Amino acid sequence: MHKSIIYLFVLILLVNMDLGASPASVSGIVLDAVTKEPLLYANIEVQGKSRGTVTNSEGRFILDTEDLTLGDTIVFSYIGYETIKIRLEGLMKSGEVLMPQASGLLNEIQIIAQKLSVEEILKKVKENFNKNHRASFDKKHLFFHSYERTPFNKDNQLVLKKSDFVGLDKATFNELFKKIPSEIVEYEDVIVNLYGNGTTYKLIPEKAISLEDGSQKSLLKEFEDKLDTFFSDIEKSRENEDIYYKIRTGILSKKFNNEETDEPTWTTNKNDTLNYTVNTNLVKSEIIYLLKEYTLAESKNWEFINNTRKYNYTMDDITIVDDEPVYKIHFLPQKQGLFEGTMYISTSSFAVLKLDFAFAKGKKSENFKLLGVGHSMNFKEAHIIFQKGKTAYFPKFISVKQNEFASIDRSFSITKKEKRFFIDKELSEMKLDVELSFNSESKWELLVMDAEDIDESAYNRILQPATMKFKKEYAYNSEMWKSRTILVPSSELKKYQNK
């Protein structure tokens, strides 16, 4: 065959392959078709697949298009709006999705569900919950965002009265305490695969980023340098099974043996300034906390479903989501209830499709003060979206905000000891007077980008690593998550990230 014909044949193949391929990701915004207001937490799916995303608090989204073609259909749904279906090719040209309200469409839908009271509907929700939201072994590919901001009260006191620990004398301690910043911010994003069945879980990290405050970079280096001897001594003592630590406050004490923890919670390597290492179980526990506390009917945060005596309810006209008729129920607390909000429940299956709730005005929980320790949950807000999978509904998106107060006013002593046959030998001791109070603001967002069922044997073959590595970033950069499905950071967070 002539060379020119071969080149032409190859060129045609390459062109044909390119016509069917899609760019690495698509981004855009979802708006009300009339008001042009952004639609917060709109659900986005790839038709025929258990993958997708949601819009952020400003209506913006980004979707990884790996393994998709320009002919694939992207489905946009939102409570009370008509479902919109757009070919990926068309979405790439604009990125702006206009959704019309479904009021006209609702007039054409014949609601044949019998008239039920709110109490009867919620009873059916509980009766059908395990069937609708049943847990089975699956693999969830998810994005998890964690943000915590804690202002440091200028009146806080942490006085080191005595220390003979190596590398931590009174002068060093007091010097570093004075340099604690006016606020402490933690910002972490991770993409992981979570395997589990609702009872047991394993986590496989894929990528993790910690956004650091650039202005604190030199301060962190100073802390690490001055406390290097102290932490090195602790790490060295972990290798000796005869060494243990005892913490005492008043009449209470707690002994910590080296074997009680397999891995440190958080470690750094002074030769690696770009990364730090975290115990994988620490990240997994945060994710499991959100799933258990905010997506299960028996959770204390779902008291408006599992303890109806504490609430007053009103029901709107039937609304619609993804072309399905839905009950829209508002709730307000009576004297003992905590939350106000709205729930959206399928009229056919009685599955929970969406929840929006927050502490009602003047409400707080976990309010106590005992033996110098105080704590209260002052605010809580949540938005939860469920998506129908092949066999059941699964939590597609969780957004939670919390504001809590904590205080401690006690004296502590920490003693390093070595086991002996008769009387254990005291090696080092420090004594502290602690008077601290914090108002902490936290936000978590969890997005399940893809979900698939697996069998138990596949789960048993998964080996969770002991630790996972976080890459340090000192400024927000859109390239950090290039070609990935994530929750788009809000403009407020981007401003902080660029500080």
Side-chain angles (χ1 to χ4, degrees):
M1 186 180 295
H2 197 276
K3 281 187 178 181
S4 61
I5 298 177
I6 294 176
Y7 293 153
L8 180 61
F9 179 69
V10 172
L11 179 62
I12 291 173
L13 282 177
L14 292 174
V15 169
N16 285 337
M17 289 172 63
D18 186 63
L19 285 173
S22 67
S25 65
V26 59
S27 59
I29 188 169
V30 180
L31 305 170
D32 181 293
V34 176
T35 67
K36 300 301 188 292
E37 290 292 318
L39 298 182
L40 288 58
Y41 311 127
N43 193 32
I44 303 168
E45 300 176 49
V46 180
Q47 185 168 284
K49 301 178 182 179
S50 296
R51 61 185 286 191
T53 185
V54 299
T55 59
N56 72 352
S57 58
E58 297 167 347
R60 298 192 174 277
F61 70 91
I62 183 169
L63 176 67
D64 169 22
T65 56
E66 184 181 3
D67 300 329
L68 300 183
T69 69
L70 296 177
D72 277 314
T73 299
I74 313 300
V75 182
F76 296 82
S77 58
Y78 195 77
I79 297 287
Y81 284 75
E82 294 184 24
T83 298
I84 299 296
K85 298 182 179 181
I86 305 175
R87 280 165 53 97
L88 180 58
E89 183 178 18
L91 189 62
M92 293 299 305
K93 292 177 181 177
S94 170
E96 184 177 272
V97 180
L98 302 177
M99 298 189 69
Q101 294 191 23
S103 54
L105 182 63
L106 279 174
N107 294 332
E108 303 173 9
I109 294 180
Q110 299 298 317
I111 305 298
I112 59 175
Q114 68 181 92
K115 293 287 185 179
L116 298 174
S117 68
V118 171
E119 289 73 18
E120 290 171 324
I121 293 170
L122 296 184
K123 182 179 179 182
K124 288 184 176 291
V125 168
K126 289 184 283 188
E127 290 174 349
N128 291 277
F129 188 84
N130 289 335
K131 178 179 70 175
N132 286 326
H133 303 271
R134 68 178 178 272
S136 57
F137 282 106
D138 66 8
K139 168 190 173 184
K140 291 183 175 72
H141 189 219
L142 60 86
F143 172 82
F144 176 60
H145 163 76
S146 173
Y147 171 82
E148 184 170 344
R149 174 181 170 271
T150 306
F152 195 77
N153 190 331
K154 64 180 181 180
D155 295 325
N156 282 340
Q157 295 293 321
L158 189 60
V159 179
L160 184 63
K161 300 174 67 176
K162 170 194 173 183
S163 174
D164 51 14
F165 273 82
V166 175
L168 191 62
D169 57 82
K170 291 176 66 174
T172 301
F173 182 88
N174 292 332
E175 179 186 355
L176 293 177
F177 180 77
K178 292 177 182 178
K179 294 184 178 182
I180 293 177
S182 59
E183 69 174 24
I184 300 169
V185 178
E186 294 182 12
Y187 181 111
E188 294 177 344
D189 286 346
V190 302
I191 289 181
V192 299
N193 286 313
L194 182 69
Y195 299 80
N197 66 346
T199 303
T200 179
Y201 293 93
K202 297 176 184 178
L203 186 143
I204 305 297
E206 192 170 293
K207 184 175 182 179
I209 290 175
S210 171
L211 202 65
E212 311 289 324
D213 184 346
S215 64
Q216 303 300 329
K217 189 175 182 180
S218 59
L219 181 60
L220 179 62
K221 180 69 165 56
E222 182 180 350
F223 270 65
E224 290 177 346
D225 289 344
K226 291 196 172 183
L227 295 178
D228 181 61
T229 304
F230 173 66
F231 286 117
S232 295
D233 181 64
I234 292 178
E235 285 301 308
K236 186 177 180 181
S237 70
R238 283 169 53 84
E239 301 170 3
N240 187 343
E241 60 183 20
D242 290 329
I243 300 295
Y244 68 92
Y245 293 82
K246 178 172 281 190
I247 298 178
R248 179 179 294 277
T249 174
I251 61 172
L252 305 175
S253 67
K254 171 66 176 176
K255 178 180 177 182
F256 292 91
N257 293 317
N258 288 331
E259 61 267 20
E260 287 184 9
T261 173
D262 295 329
E263 293 290 339
T265 298
W266 186 92
T267 59
T268 59
N269 180 347
K270 59 185 178 182
N271 296 320
D272 183 2
T273 60
L274 300 178
N275 304 280
Y276 65 85
T277 301
V278 167
N279 188 324
T280 306
N281 280 329
L282 185 68
V283 177
K284 183 173 73 173
S285 66
E286 284 192 271
I287 294 172
I288 303 308
Y289 168 80
L290 285 184
L291 292 173
K292 289 189 174 181
E293 293 297 320
Y294 287 93
T295 70
L296 299 180
E298 65 268 22
S299 163
K300 63 182 180 181
N301 291 312
W302 281 33
E303 64 174 28
F304 44 83
I305 287 179
N306 58 45
N307 200 338
T308 56
R309 291 175 297 177
K310 294 183 177 181
Y311 287 87
N312 294 319
Y313 301 90
T314 57
M315 185 158 57
D316 278 0
D317 292 335
I318 298 292
T319 186
I320 192 167
V321 59
D322 202 11
D323 298 336
E324 179 181 2
V326 173
Y327 295 113
K328 183 179 181 180
I329 301 171
H330 304 286
F331 50 91
L332 289 170
Q334 296 186 29
K335 185 177 180 180
Q336 293 185 335
L338 289 173
F339 301 102
E340 62 181 359
T342 306
M343 63 183 98
Y344 302 86
I345 297 167
S346 167
T347 59
S348 57
S349 66
F350 297 97
V352 178
L353 303 182
K354 189 173 186 286
L355 293 173
D356 299 308
F357 60 90
F359 274 3
K361 186 177 180 180
K363 297 288 185 177
K364 62 172 60 176
S365 67
E366 304 171 30
N367 191 23
F368 74 87
K369 190 166 186 179
L370 182 66
L371 300 176
V373 178
H375 179 261
S376 66
M377 186 67 68
N378 295 332
F379 179 75
K380 191 178 285 187
E381 178 184 86
H383 304 276
I384 300 128
I385 298 172
F386 289 89
Q387 179 173 320
K388 191 172 185 178
K390 293 181 179 179
T391 58
Y393 292 84
F394 63 89
K396 166 79 171 284
F397 172 71
I398 306 170
S399 174
V400 173
K401 291 181 182 179
Q402 290 184 178
N403 184 288
E404 57 186 313
F405 170 80
S407 65
I408 184 166
D409 185 0
R410 294 187 67 86
S411 296
F412 290 85
S413 68
I414 303 173
T415 309
K416 177 182 177 182
K417 291 192 172 187
E418 183 179 15
K419 295 176 185 177
R420 295 291 179 90
F421 186 74
F422 290 109
I423 300 176
D424 292 350
K425 180 181 179 181
E426 181 178 304
L427 302 177
S428 306
E429 183 185 39
M430 71 170 72
K431 292 184 177 181
L432 306 100
D433 285 342
V434 180
E435 187 177 347
L436 303 173
S437 64
F438 304 97
N439 268 301
S440 208
E441 172 193 343
S442 303
K443 181 175 182 178
W444 299 280
E445 290 181 313
L446 186 152
L447 170 67
V448 176
M449 301 174 289
D450 196 359
E452 61 178 279
D453 292 333
I454 60 173
D455 56 36
E456 187 173 359
S457 61
Y459 174 81
N460 291 335
R461 290 194 296 270
I462 300 298
L463 297 176
Q464 175 182 298
T467 61
M468 56 187 290
K469 184 176 289 188
F470 277 77
K471 183 181 179 183
K472 297 179 185 178
E473 297 282 358
Y474 290 93
Y476 176 76
N477 181 351
S478 59
E479 296 296 305
M480 292 190 305
W481 295 109
K482 185 177 181 181
S483 304
R484 298 273 195 167
T485 295
I486 62 166
L487 290 165
V488 178
S490 67
S491 55
E492 180 183 0
L493 283 176
K494 285 185 179 180
K495 287 178 184 177
Y496 164 73
Q497 294 164 11
N498 283 307
K499 185 171 68 173

